[in-house]
Amino acid sequence: MPLPRSLLPALLLTLPLWVGAQDARPDTAPGRASPPAAIASPQVVPLDEAARATLERHDVVFDDHGTTRRCEGVSLAALLQASGAMPVAPLRGGDLTRYVLVSARDGYRALFSLAELDPTLGGRTVLLADRCDDRPLEATRGPLRLVIAGDTRAARSVRQVERIVVVAAP
Ligand SMILES: Nc1nc2c(c(=O)[nH]1)N[C@H]1C(S)=C(S)[C@@H](COP(=O)(O)O)O[C@H]1N2
Ligand SMILES: [Mo]
């Protein structure tokens, strides 16, 4: 049955409400990726040999107080993705409020937003390295350390990495 012509202007007036309702859909709506509520926090990321063995290895050259070093290891983003702590798809919604906290044996800590590791957002190359200059890391610096391509200072290049967790901001 056709709508009475007199109703048409009234229906058109409600159009912005419909569009607004679509925009306001929460991230947890069915079909949306990675509903934040479903993600455990903190999420511990395995760092052992088995967790790293299958990942592609990369090189990063960085300046260590005036000395150029070449370190090798796996990408932090790939490690997080392999453990399920970071979605493989471009991040959105609640994932933009999650961060990676890296702690060392000596208590040193640094964090990275998940977004800065996403190639479609920050695109930062952070490596979890186990070798530098063709040698395993010395016991005092390793066995694992971070190396961040593009950081002008090595302050976030946490040595003696002991624990990596992904945390949802409160
Ligand atoms: N565990 C740990 N990692 C750390 C630090 C630290 O004190 N403890 N210092 C940071 C700082 S400030 C710098 S400049 C670099 C120095 O790295 P290097 O000792 O390999 O040159 O390590 C970073 N990583
Ligand atoms: Mo430093």
Side-chain angles (χ1 to χ4, degrees):
M1 184 183 86
L3 281 171
R5 260 168 201 271
S6 58
L7 267 182
L8 198 60
L11 280 176
L12 283 177
L13 278 175
T14 68
L15 195 62
L17 293 177
W18 284 98
V19 172
Q22 295 302 305
D23 281 351
R25 269 191 312 184
D27 286 327
T28 47
R32 295 266 172 132
S34 310
I39 296 171
S41 174
Q43 194 163 333
V44 180
V45 178
L47 308 178
D48 55 302
E49 176 64 35
R52 293 179 286 115
T54 56
L55 303 177
E56 191 184 333
R57 292 181 66 82
H58 303 272
D59 283 1
V60 163
V61 172
F62 78 112
D63 180 275
D64 185 0
H65 301 101
T67 307
T68 302
R69 292 196 194 285
R70 190 184 58 84
C71 295
E72 330 164 19
V74 300
S75 118
L76 179 60
L79 187 76
L80 299 177
Q81 288 171 340
S83 76
M86 175 178 177
V88 177
L91 301 188
R92 60 174 314 288
D95 286 322
L96 302 176
T97 67
R98 293 168 69 220
Y99 60 90
V100 185
L101 180 61
V102 180
S103 313
R105 288 198 303 280
D106 64 353
Y108 197 80
R109 300 193 300 170
L111 68 80
F112 302 81
S113 68
L114 216 52
E116 74 185 297
L117 306 180
D118 180 337
T120 69
L121 295 170
R124 205 58 155 174
T125 296
V126 177
L127 215 65
L128 181 65
D130 56 6
R131 292 176 74 81
C132 287
D133 299 329
D134 296 318
R135 284 188 301 273
L137 291 164
E138 313 93 278
T140 52
R141 285 188 157 70
L144 298 171
R145 76 168 297 167
L146 294 189
V147 178
I148 297 111
D151 272 11
T152 307
R153 291 184 305 115
R156 298 197 293 178
S157 294
V158 178
R159 297 186 244 102
Q160 311 178 344
V161 170
E162 183 174 60
R163 186 176 158 87
I164 300 183
V165 293
V166 178
V167 184

